[in-house]
């Protein structure tokens, strides 16, 4: 270890990888707890919710349809074209959103809790895009009072 | 392998290290205070040491060490120290060199670790909450059972991001 630490060439240490998962789960739990107390439609996630929402709708007009927001499949985010579009989307918020590229859990169905089959792994800005849009369509309001 | 030679005093904080620090900093690793030196001894007795390192420990017992590794030429240092001692006329006695047994050192480190980081001093009075919504502050306070000042500070630190603010307070 005489070289300065270089993130690009550093090995992935399993234990550190797990630590990222721990943070993702904490984030999911925290978000869920908030939704049980405050209706999503009244919730603000970031300082630039409007900007994220508008850009999301502009870049991905297909999600103007609330049904597409409600449930989506992991595959539709991971096609070659979708990945390219998302990459551009992410870049727009690189400087504006804290942890924009942090691994984050996102429910594939807004009518379900975080569960083994109803959760997929995305980056934080994708989480914001979907959850802000879901909250605006009141798709998460059912969670209030739920445990 | 290009190590920074002994006695040099340069600071390299390249972009990658900065990024890595940020990422690792968010993992909730526990900083271990009181460590003043981490040394790697290689087969040929060459010592690469990091003075005043920042040492973090993960729950699984792995360590992340930040700092400037330098080749520590012990013999050279010793010679310099002896020279200096002779010049000033106080030669260190053998007992000075090794007054601490490993047990003592361990006890010292434990004591340092136990004392923990200094509690943040609560700021007096109302903090400036401009730009934050009252509802957000209340929500953060409810979720974390903290004072208004702490909630405001966390929200500011995280640019109004409620989830991140709550997470930072519940660690």
């Amino acid at each position: 270890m005489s070289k300065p630490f270089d993130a690009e060439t550093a090995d992935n240490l399993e234990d550190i990888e797990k630590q990222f998962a721990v943070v993702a789960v904490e984030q999911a739990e925290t978000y869920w707890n908030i939704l049980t107390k405050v209706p999503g439609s009244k919730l603000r996630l970031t300082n630039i919710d409007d900007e994220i929402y508008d850009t999301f709708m502009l870049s991905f007009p297909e999600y103007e349809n609330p049904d597409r927001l409600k449930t989506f499949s992991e595959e539709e985010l991971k096609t070659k074209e979708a990945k390219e579009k998302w990459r551009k989307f992410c870049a727009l918020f690189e400087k504006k959103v804290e942890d924009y590229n942090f691994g984050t859990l996102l429910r594939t169905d807004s009518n379900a809790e975080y569960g083994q089959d109803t959760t997929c792994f995305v980056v934080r800005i994708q989480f914001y895009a979907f959850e802000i849009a879901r909250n605006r369509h009141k798709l998460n309001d059912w969670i209030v009072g739920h445990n | 392998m290009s190590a920074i030679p002994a006695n040099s005093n340069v600071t390299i904080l390249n972009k990658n290290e900065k990024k890595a620090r940020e990422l690792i900093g968010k993992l909730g690793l526990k900083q271990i205070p009181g460590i003043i030196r981490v040394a790697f001894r290689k087969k040929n007795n060459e010592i690469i040491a990091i003075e005043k390192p920042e040492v973090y420990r993960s729950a699984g017992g792995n360590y992340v060490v930040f700092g400037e590794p330098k080749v520590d030429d012990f013999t050279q240092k010793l010679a310099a120290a002896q020279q200096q001692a002779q010049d000033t006329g106080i030669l260190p006695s053998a007992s000075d060199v090794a007054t601490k047994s490993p047990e003592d050192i361990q006890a010292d480190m434990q004591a340092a670790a136990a004392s923990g980081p200094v509690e943040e001093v609560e700021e007096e009075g109302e903090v400036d909450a401009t730009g934050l919504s009252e509802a957000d502050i209340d929500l953060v306070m409810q979720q974390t059972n903290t004072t208004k000042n702490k909630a405001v500070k966390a929200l500011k630190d995280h640019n109004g991001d409620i989830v991140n603010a709550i997470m930072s307070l519940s660690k």
Side-chain angles (χ1 to χ4, degrees), chain A residues 11 42-43 46 51 55 60 79 87 91-92 100 114 119 121-122 128 131 140 143 147:
Chain A
D11 282 335
K42 296 212 167 53
L43 190 65
T46 70
E51 191 181 335
T55 316
F60 300 88
T79 64
R87 197 169 305 132
L92 293 175
Y100 80 102
Y114 282 97
T119 304
F121 206 59
V122 297
Y128 284 139
E131 289 299 334
N140 285 329
I143 301 167
N147 274 314

Side-chain angles (χ1 to χ4, degrees), chain A residues 48-114:
Chain A
I48 52 164
D49 280 12
D50 289 335
E51 191 181 335
I52 295 175
Y53 180 76
D54 294 342
T55 316
F56 181 41
M57 289 301 136
L58 218 63
S59 311
F60 300 88
E62 62 268 35
Y63 292 114
E64 273 169 27
N65 177 357
D67 289 333
R68 295 283 306 269
L69 286 172
K70 208 183 277 176
T71 52
F72 67 91
S73 70
E74 198 170 348
E75 288 76 38
E76 74 186 63
L77 297 184
K78 316 240 156 137
T79 64
K80 213 174 156 227
E81 300 82 53
K83 272 189 173 172
E84 190 50 44
K85 274 169 89 180
W86 277 111
R87 197 169 305 132
K88 284 186 189 136
F89 184 79
C90 290
L92 293 175
F93 293 100
E94 186 175 345
K95 296 267 184 301
K96 291 182 184 165
V97 174
E98 194 191 7
D99 304 338
Y100 80 102
N101 61 353
F102 253 49
T104 308
L105 298 173
L106 174 63
R107 290 166 304 139
T108 51
D109 181 351
S110 62
N111 279 331
E113 295 180 26
Y114 282 97

